Every structure is written in C-alpha cells, then in structure tokens.
Amino acid sequence: KEQIFFFIYGLLDSVEYREKFKNNLFKEQPRIPIIPEYDLFQTLSDLGKKLSDLHVNFDSVEKYPIQLKEGDLRLLYIENPVEFFKVKKMRFADKSKETVIYNSNLTIQNIPIEAYDYQISGRSALEWVMERQAIKTDKKSGIINDPNDYANNIIENPAYPLELFQRIITVSLETNRIVNSIPPLGL
C-alpha cells in the first residue's frame, strides 16, 4: 500500500504527467495510469517517497546558506532578537526576485531563481511562505495573525520565519532536482 501511495505521489509530480493531463487536472480528479514495467513503478515509488519525506519534514531540512546584504548573521551582535527578526511583510526588492527584503534589519540576496520553479497551486513555495509569514488582520473578526507570536511563544525562536524561508529554498531546489530525475513515463 505504501509503494502505491508513493508511486502516485511521484507520478503526480512528474512533469510529463502534468503536461499531458494539464487540462484534465483543472476539471476532474487525477487519473492514474497503469505502468506496465515494475522497474518504472518502483522508481516512481522511490522518488515519490523522497519527495513526500522532503515535503512532510520540511521543518528539519538543512537551511539554505543565504547571503545577507548586512553580512554574516553569526558575526552580528543582536541585542534584542525578538525585535531584530520581527517580520511584518517580506517583499521583493525588484522584479528579479533574487533579493527579498525580510524586514528593516535584513535583506536576503542571491536567492537562486530556480527555487521559484517549485510551485504549489500556481504559486512558488517561496512566495507562499512570504505571504503566510506576514502580520495580517482578518477584516470580519479583527483577529490578528502574527507569525512572530508563533515563532517567539511556541517555537521559542524569533528567527523562525527567516529559517523557514531558508528551509523552503532547500526544499524547492531539492524538489526540482528529484522531479527532474523522474524518468520518461511513455504516456
């Protein structure tokens, strides 16, 4: 059962599958073709397991070694980490998307453009994180959603939003690498 699950996970990430069934995937449930060769089934299952592990355990992958405009974080003296890492809304510095202004203290530079290729529901995972790691007020209820509260009170790490961004860069690049290694399906 697990092999079948991971096979489907790998299949649904296949570029060939997504291209061939692009129109159908917008309108109906995905159709799962029967793969006649066991080796191809096993390969897709193995790659699907790697992708699944990567996506489920995103919080424990290596942080991508970002370059900051301000220099090396390890060398900075940070008197008040809660205020220093507080994120209000990350934004792009320009259209290239290689630079993200994290907050007034930090600017992330040289983000690999290929990291934006990994998309979830038509948006890159990095842009999704940028949108979610922002202070927002619900118009109806007035409830404030502040990712800094989660970082400071639950995770007890004020730098969590920055580290999450770094990890999603790693997840995106590794996902692209695995997806690009999926062999032709012959659909």
Side-chain angles (χ1 to χ4, degrees):
K1 291 179 185 178
E2 272 190 11
Q3 280 186 311
I4 293 171
F5 175 83
F6 293 127
F7 159 76
I8 292 171
Y9 202 96
L11 177 76
L12 294 177
D13 276 298
S14 162
V15 174
E16 180 183 351
Y17 178 85
R18 287 180 180 207
E19 281 299 313
K20 177 142 179 91
F21 297 107
K22 172 172 46 179
N23 294 332
N24 298 64
L25 291 170
F26 283 114
K27 302 173 197 169
E28 58 191 39
Q29 296 293 324
R31 295 176 185 218
I32 308 303
I34 296 173
I35 302 296
E37 297 110 26
Y38 179 76
D39 290 343
L40 181 56
F41 169 84
Q42 187 63 53
T43 299
L44 278 172
S45 181
D46 293 344
L47 293 173
K49 181 168 180 29
K50 287 179 184 177
L51 285 167
S52 175
D53 288 344
L54 183 64
H55 297 160
V56 169
N57 300 310
F58 66 91
D59 240 358
S60 61
V61 300
E62 289 286 322
K63 295 180 287 188
Y64 185 81
I66 57 172
Q67 180 181 350
L68 296 173
K69 180 180 179 182
E70 296 74 19
D72 191 336
L73 268 180
R74 296 171 297 179
L75 302 176
L76 294 177
Y77 172 70
I78 302 170
E79 188 173 329
N80 183 347
V82 170
E83 284 304 312
F84 184 83
F85 289 107
K86 185 174 186 173
V87 63
K88 292 180 182 172
K89 182 176 182 165
M90 291 184 237
R91 64 188 194 287
F92 293 113
D94 54 37
K95 291 182 181 184
S96 75
K97 297 184 179 181
E98 289 180 290
T99 303
V100 169
I101 300 168
Y102 176 82
N103 64 16
S104 61
N105 299 319
L106 298 170
T107 301
I108 306 165
Q109 296 180 313
N110 300 324
I111 299 167
I113 293 302
E114 56 272 13
Y116 293 101
D117 292 342
Y118 173 49
Q119 305 236 330
I120 301 170
S121 300
R123 183 177 330 158
S124 77
L126 288 175
E127 290 171 299
W128 188 86
V129 168
M130 288 172 67
E131 178 188 311
R132 297 287 179 214
Q133 296 299 308
I135 299 173
K136 292 183 185 172
T137 303
D138 183 70
K139 290 179 183 177
K140 285 186 179 180
S141 67
I143 295 173
I144 298 171
N145 181 20
D146 187 344
N148 301 294
D149 290 341
Y150 178 75
N152 296 323
N153 302 326
I154 305 298
I155 302 292
E156 297 180 351
N157 177 5
Y160 177 76
L162 177 64
E163 292 175 2
L164 176 63
F165 190 80
Q166 289 177 264
R167 285 186 168 97
I168 297 303
I169 293 172
T170 300
V171 167
S172 297
L173 293 172
E174 185 62 13
T175 295
N176 292 341
R177 189 191 65 72
I178 294 170
V179 165
N180 289 334
S181 74
I182 294 175
L185 305 175
L187 300 175

